[in-house]
Amino acid sequence: MGHDTERVSVLGLGAMGGAIARAWLAAGYETTVWNRTAGRAEPLVAEGAKAAATAAEAVAASGLVVVCLLDDASVGEALADADLAGKDLVNITTGTPGDARDRARWASGRGARYLDGGIMAVPPMIGVPGSGAYVFYSGSPDLFADRQDALGVPSAARYVGADAGSAALHDVALLSAMTGMFAGMAHAFALTRGAASPKQFAPLLVEWLTAMAGAAHGTAAHLESGDYTLGVTSNLAMMVQGNRTLLRTAEEQGVSSELLTPFMALMERRLADGHGDEDTTGVVDLLLP
Ligand code: NDP
């Protein structure tokens, strides 16, 4: 493909799309940009980007077309009139796995190769080597192989399979785990409010959560082997007993326990089913149909 491998079009210049386009520009790629509100392209044009007047024009400008819009509906809207035949369409707009699979079929019906992406970063991490930023990619393995160098410019790129929905699934699984962590942090700050300085408490919280995060490897070993008692150091019977102390403390401190009780209820159900010698892996099964 020669020269075309150094050329990219970026559609969507919000906080994330703008950072990504800027990373390609800085790396010397011939970068064409488009944004619904045209004024948002101006700073990038000042840095050397070419502005396309329409989304279709931006698509026509490069073989590699990267779309970073608000949601899946905006992608369909923006690309409605674009000729995607022969294009490599990389959609890094956040969506569900189902959205990604539908969008992959839609793109393939229009003659494009398709890759879906889930961005594991915030905009200031983009284009910064060593920031830890990466994007999960899934979909066309050939597209990923052919465009790997370009895709590795704004951040690292991790390919997670030919099923177009896989990147979104990995992305959302990590965000869901983060949601649980944020819930736990909110409860901990509420408990200590007025008693400990938040600034002094925060490093303790980070240290403890970092130490405990490794428990995921134990859960993985249980799920892979089918033996949920493997290497258990803190058993469920003990933990359910311990939960009562957590709840009584919340009550003493006048803090709502509503963020804790849904998970605790599942632990109790697993214990009641006779699994006191496991840890919390069995909760995974209770969530499945
Ligand atoms: P912004 O809100 O900053 O930008 C949204 C972009 O979508 C703008 O370019 C906006 O255009 C465009 N847009 C919205 N609706 C339409 C439409 N109907 N047709 C055409 N364009 C439209 O969002 P971000 O850049 O932060 O996020 C973009 C994607 O990146 C999202 O899917 C987000 O989930 C994902 N992401 C963002 C992260 C972050 O921390 N920011 C982290 C990880 C993923 P206009 O300027 O005209 O409004």
Side-chain angles (χ1 to χ4, degrees):
M1 257 179 247
H3 185 61
D4 185 56
T5 58
E6 302 287 306
R7 196 183 285 167
V8 62
S9 291
V10 180
L11 285 76
L13 304 173
M16 185 54 85
I20 283 172
R22 186 161 281 114
W24 269 308
L25 258 183
Y29 280 70
E30 196 178 314
T31 309
T32 300
V33 295
W34 173 82
N35 195 68
R36 180 181 60 179
T37 308
R40 259 180 141 166
E42 279 163 20
L44 287 156
V45 170
E47 292 168 40
K50 292 185 181 176
T54 63
E57 204 179 295
V59 169
S62 315
L64 176 60
V65 178
V66 177
V67 186
C68 186
L69 299 174
L70 188 61
D71 55 13
D72 183 66
S74 43
V75 174
E77 218 172 284
L79 294 178
D81 303 326
D83 178 8
L84 295 177
K87 298 294 175 182
D88 282 346
L89 181 63
V90 177
N91 180 19
I92 52 173
T93 304
T94 305
T96 69
D99 289 338
R101 291 183 196 113
D102 289 347
R103 193 54 68 196
R105 275 189 290 272
W106 172 91
S108 157
R110 289 159 152 245
R113 296 197 295 187
Y114 183 84
L115 209 54
D116 203 86
I119 307 166
M120 304 313 299
V122 291
M125 293 163 76
I126 298 297
V128 180
S131 70
Y134 69 89
V135 178
F136 282 123
Y137 286 109
S138 62
S140 166
D142 294 341
L143 192 174
F144 187 75
D146 292 347
R147 302 289 188 176
Q148 206 164 0
D149 287 349
L151 295 177
V153 167
S155 74
R158 293 184 178 173
Y159 183 74
V160 287
D163 166 16
S166 183
L169 185 60
H170 280 73
D171 180 354
V172 172
L174 295 188
L175 294 179
S176 300
M178 180 185 75
T179 301
M181 184 185 75
F182 285 165
M185 292 202 292
H187 184 81
F189 275 117
L191 272 186
T192 56
R193 195 84 179 119
S197 139
K199 276 204 162 163
Q200 280 169 6
F201 184 65
L204 301 175
L205 198 49
V206 171
E207 186 183 72
W208 180 245
L209 291 176
T210 305
M212 289 300 102
H217 297 298
T219 305
H222 292 159
L223 294 171
E224 298 267 356
S225 69
D227 178 1
Y228 294 2
T229 64
L230 204 73
V232 166
T233 52
S234 308
N235 70 63
L236 191 62
M238 178 280 286
M239 279 196 270
V240 167
Q241 194 61 35
N243 285 347
R244 299 197 180 119
T245 306
L246 270 54
L247 294 174
R248 282 176 47 227
T249 303
E251 203 179 341
E252 281 179 17
Q253 296 295 111
V255 169
S256 166
S257 58
E258 65 196 299
L259 289 174
L260 299 183
T261 45
F263 188 64
M264 289 178 174
L266 289 164
M267 291 168 77
E268 275 174 40
R269 253 173 71 195
R270 187 71 182 170
L271 179 64
D273 290 344
H275 298 285
D277 55 347
E278 300 178 356
D279 53 24
T280 57
T281 302
V283 169
V284 176
D285 290 356
L286 293 179
L287 297 177
L288 294 166

